[in-house]
């Protein structure tokens, strides 16, 4: 969870704060490969993991990010979501809810495992979010699971801290 600029905290079971975020390449909603390094070119990244497109909780989460997207970009941040659905399903999800950010397809859950957000007993995907700086350092993280409001608060705090400089 985000602390002050000088205080980094993380949720239990997630990657260590201050450590390097694992590099990856996944297809985006158009089927084009996108790497972590590419996503970081324009600024720090809010990388969020979610269980599935079109489910009530994940739709609420995506729409909250959509509604904050202008502020996210205004703070110099980028955002990308990762889940196990195909690029085609991601594209339909983006279109239906007018999502302006990148969705990445991790059908084999390789990146989900790398970022330590597998569900209990290896099933599903936990709702986890990382703030990653341009040097690929993990600056903050939250494991929100069913607490959509905690995830939204994490994003709002990341915006506020980034806007401060």
């Amino acid at each position: 969870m985000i602390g002050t600029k000088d205080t980094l905290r993380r949720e239990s079971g997630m990657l260590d704060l201050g450590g390097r975020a694992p590099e990856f390449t996944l297809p985006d909603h158009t089927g084009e490969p996108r790497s972590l390094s590419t996503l970081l070119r324009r600024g720090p990244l809010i990388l969020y993991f979610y269980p599935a497109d079109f489910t009530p909780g994940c739709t609420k989460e995506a729409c909250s990010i959509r509604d904050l997207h202008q502020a996210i970009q205004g703070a110099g941040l980028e955002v990308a979501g990762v889940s196990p659905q195909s690029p085609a399903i991601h594209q339909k999800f983006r279109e239906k809810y007018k999502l302006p950010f990148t969705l990445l397809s991790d059908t084999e859950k390789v990146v989900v495992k790398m970022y330590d957000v597998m569900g209990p007993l290896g099933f599903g995907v936990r709702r986890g979010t990382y703030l990653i700086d341009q040097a690929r350092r993990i600056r903050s993280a939250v494991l929100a699971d069913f607490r959509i409001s905690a995830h939204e608060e994490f994003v709002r705090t990341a915006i506020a801290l980034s806007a401060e400089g």
Side-chain angles (χ1 to χ4, degrees):
M1 184 167 260
I2 293 177
T4 66
K5 283 185 183 180
D6 299 320
T7 305
L8 301 175
R9 298 186 307 163
R10 74 172 174 98
E11 296 287 332
S12 167
M14 295 185 80
L15 298 178
D16 290 333
L17 296 181
R20 299 256 305 165
E23 180 63 74
F24 63 83
T25 300
L26 290 172
D28 70 10
H29 51 274
T30 68
E32 291 297 314
R34 301 286 291 271
S35 68
L36 176 62
S37 295
T38 300
L39 292 166
L40 289 169
R41 281 189 186 147
R42 294 194 328 218
L45 176 69
I46 296 169
L47 182 66
Y48 82 99
F49 293 84
Y50 64 102
D53 296 331
F54 296 106
T55 61
C58 296
T59 299
K60 182 177 178 182
E61 178 181 28
C63 290
S64 76
I65 293 171
R66 175 201 63 205
D67 296 346
L68 292 169
H69 196 254
Q70 189 171 0
I72 290 167
Q73 288 190 314
L77 299 168
E78 295 296 317
V79 64
V82 180
S83 77
Q85 287 71 52
S86 70
I89 298 297
H90 281 337
Q91 186 63 27
K92 289 177 184 174
F93 188 55
R94 284 183 85 247
E95 288 172 3
K96 180 169 184 172
Y97 294 102
K98 297 178 176 42
L99 305 177
F101 49 86
T102 301
L103 295 179
L104 301 168
S105 179
D106 188 10
T107 58
E108 302 299 318
K109 298 181 186 171
V110 172
V111 177
V112 167
K113 291 173 188 166
M114 288 168 53
Y115 280 78
D116 206 14
V117 289
M118 281 294 292
L121 305 173
F123 295 103
V125 177
R126 298 185 76 183
R127 190 178 319 282
T129 303
Y130 289 93
L131 177 61
I132 304 168
D133 69 21
Q134 286 183 283
R136 281 189 29 219
R137 297 279 177 211
I138 298 170
R139 305 311 305 167
S140 194
V142 67
L143 195 56
D145 286 327
F146 298 108
R147 299 170 293 134
I148 305 297
S149 62
H151 172 81
E152 185 176 335
E153 182 60 32
F154 177 91
V155 173
R156 288 182 184 279
T157 303
I159 291 167
L161 292 175
S162 294
E164 289 175 7

